[in-house]
Amino acid sequence: MRDFFDFDPERGWEERPPRRVFAVLAGEERPDEGPALRHFEAIDAEYVTEQTYGYAWDAPEGMPLSVLEYEARQGDPHLLATVPEGVVLDIRFDDTLRDVTTRQYFNLFGAATPRGVANTVPADPGMTRRILSSPPEDAFPAITQDRVAQALARTNAHADMAAIYDVGQGSCSAILEAQGNPCLYFDFGGGVLQNTRTYPSALRHLCMTGKPTIVMSHWDWDHWSSAMRSQGAALAANLEGSTWIVPRQRIGPVHKAFLMRLIAAGAHVEFWDDATASISYNAIEIAKCQGVSRNDSGLAMRYRPNWASHDGVFFTGDCAYSALPPSFAGARADALVVSHHGGLSGGGAPLAPATSNAPWYLSYGAGNSYDHPKRSAMSAHWSVGWSPANLRDTTHRQAHPLGDLGHILVAAPGLNGPLANTPPCGGACQLPIVQ
């Protein structure tokens, strides 16, 4: 039985690939040139028709999940190229055909299998409701403002630094306590699928010893996948007792299974109340984005360290700048983590820098399959005043006794890495700030 989350990229699957799947668009990346890459989260149709499928199941390890990757060229009329978010597809394969092809990943960290597509039609409404839905409020009630405050209270009120961790083509940032260790994460992802190769081999563990709260910007595997880079007892040790604050969004089978894995491992998953625009505690503000798509309807974060002279440091996830929370409007950023790994889309001008020497940061993987950062995105930031001289990114890996890593320090102007930290785990994690 295959396990989609099994962190063993070299493992091969001897099972026969499924002849039919139900799939829903998870995201699309459009480079400045060349075809768009569209990803679909999928589950074997035979399994769904034979099982009770919803939020009642416990995501068994053998659940037949996969991700489809389709290259959509301009003018491509196929449904895989044109279907919007929110439509479940019924896809049948015939690997003797090559007119329409896709790549199918049977492991989040593994290689793809080429597949020939025989037929693609929208699934019937009943199946669509089963495959794609928001986590129901009766099973997953919205987090209260008091609970958010409790979760953020773990963040040291005197924390005055942050970090952008090198996780390849993904996102993982943190607010740091005085010793340089994470006390709150914003996203917990890393390179997956075709971009697994961008993840630094030296990074085996992120620090979870102090059970820092994890705020997840949106449901996208490159923003949570590092939670699955451990298995068995190690996975439970990392996640048990941890608190995840997540947006309530419609999610498909892969993300549903990840949610149930978190819960099974003992994590407390708290869903944001869509009626709440923002909540602030200590130096942290978490706010709801205003868009419709999964990228644009999640959560963003503002951090106001003592050294901030204007409106603080902004963590935007993959949100288009036009869809950022209302409380961010007109802000002059002391520092900015660039949206969507430099793959700006959806319109809107970037937040403006507070000063001419304000730093800005990029988290992406060298040689990634999306051509991030895009030239158009960089130009948009330059046009509002962000200087190329003040840009730092996670691909500039530095030699370190633990291996080559690109973790970046976010701190008062003039204060850069390296920064020696004393991890509470005794050194099991690899989070030294090197730049």
Side-chain angles (χ1 to χ4, degrees):
M1 261 190 191
R2 69 181 191 254
D3 181 4
F4 182 76
F5 298 110
D6 181 11
F7 181 55
D8 185 355
E10 302 304 318
R11 184 191 296 273
W13 303 111
E14 297 180 356
E15 302 171 44
R16 185 177 64 182
R19 291 175 293 182
R20 180 185 175 204
V21 299
F22 293 113
V24 62
L25 183 66
E28 177 183 81
E29 297 288 348
R30 289 193 172 274
D32 285 330
E33 299 176 0
L37 280 180
R38 310 193 95 207
H39 291 100
F40 298 80
E41 45 184 316
I43 187 167
D44 293 11
E46 183 177 354
Y47 180 90
V48 176
T49 56
E50 292 179 353
Q51 303 287 329
T52 300
Y53 179 85
Y55 283 94
W57 41 255
D58 60 357
E61 292 188 359
M63 181 174 291
L65 302 166
S66 61
V67 168
L68 303 180
E69 185 176 70
Y70 182 77
E71 291 189 8
R73 299 185 182 278
Q74 189 171 5
D76 185 347
H78 197 275
L79 200 52
L80 287 169
T82 60
V83 68
E85 287 187 9
V87 177
V88 174
L89 298 178
D90 184 341
I91 303 172
R92 296 175 186 268
F93 299 104
D94 181 342
D95 291 328
T96 66
L97 302 177
R98 285 293 176 264
D99 289 342
V100 179
T101 60
T102 185
R103 294 182 287 270
Q104 188 169 20
Y105 294 86
F106 297 108
N107 183 279
L108 184 61
F109 308 101
T113 299
R115 303 300 310 275
V117 178
N119 190 43
T120 305
V121 296
D124 66 71
M127 185 58 68
T128 293
R129 286 191 295 271
R130 293 178 68 192
I131 298 295
L132 180 67
S133 58
S134 297
E137 292 197 23
D138 57 348
F140 304 98
I143 189 171
T144 64
Q145 296 197 24
D146 286 345
R147 281 288 299 124
V148 174
Q150 289 175 21
L152 297 184
R154 298 182 181 185
T155 306
N156 190 318
H158 304 292
D160 224 23
M161 299 181 293
I164 316 297
Y165 292 125
D166 172 15
V167 291
Q169 183 61 27
S171 182
C172 180
S173 304
I175 308 302
L176 306 181
E177 60 184 12
Q179 290 75 32
N181 301 309
C183 53
L184 178 143
Y185 284 104
F186 185 76
D187 285 331
F188 205 71
V192 295
L193 306 176
Q194 191 177 157
N195 291 308
T196 298
R197 55 187 164 75
T198 70
Y199 195 91
S201 59
L203 181 56
R204 298 183 302 280
H205 300 287
L206 295 166
C207 187
M208 286 295 291
T209 302
K211 300 301 179 189
T213 295
I214 298 169
V215 178
M216 194 169 77
S217 63
H218 64 298
W219 291 89
D220 197 347
W221 33 69
D222 64 329
H223 289 251
W224 53 252
S225 58
S226 283
M228 294 288 101
R229 285 181 170 268
S230 300
Q231 296 292 316
L235 176 68
N238 280 341
L239 296 180
E240 186 175 8
S242 63
T243 296
W244 290 63
I245 299 176
V246 303
R248 193 182 302 276
Q249 298 176 309
R250 288 199 299 172
I251 54 178
V254 169
H255 289 91
K256 286 181 183 179
F258 170 65
L259 169 61
M260 303 313 291
R261 287 289 180 92
L262 284 180
I263 294 170
H268 305 293
V269 182
E270 305 275 11
F271 282 83
W272 189 262
D273 185 349
D274 283 345
T276 301
S278 68
I279 296 176
S280 297
Y281 190 88
N282 287 339
I284 304 295
E285 177 192 1
I286 302 174
K288 178 78 169 62
C289 299
Q290 305 179 78
V292 176
S293 70
R294 193 181 291 180
N295 282 354
D296 297 345
S297 61
L299 302 176
M301 187 173 78
R302 183 206 309 247
Y303 166 49
R304 292 186 176 96
N306 292 326
W307 51 264
S309 60
H310 290 78
D311 296 321
V313 182
F314 292 84
F315 300 81
T316 57
D318 283 356
C319 185
Y321 291 117
S322 59
L324 286 175
S327 60
F328 290 11
R332 300 189 66 79
D334 291 279
L336 174 69
V337 182
V338 174
S339 176
H340 205 169
H341 324 282
L344 183 67
S345 60
L351 297 176
T355 63
S356 61
N357 64 346
W360 50 311
Y361 308 95
L362 267 171
S363 176
Y364 71 100
N368 67 82
S369 61
Y370 310 133
D371 285 340
H372 290 170
K374 295 182 182 179
R375 293 189 300 274
S376 55
M378 294 296 93
S379 295
H381 288 81
W382 299 332
S383 70
V384 299
W386 293 102
S387 169
N390 301 324
L391 175 64
R392 282 186 283 164
D393 71 66
T394 55
T395 67
H396 289 148
R397 292 174 179 168
Q398 310 291 318
H400 187 275
L402 295 176
D404 293 350
L405 294 162
H407 306 324
I408 303 172
L409 181 68
V410 180
L415 180 60
N416 298 318
L419 174 70
N421 67 324
T422 306
C425 59
C429 59
Q430 298 79 37
L431 300 182
I433 301 296
V434 298
Q435 56 172 325

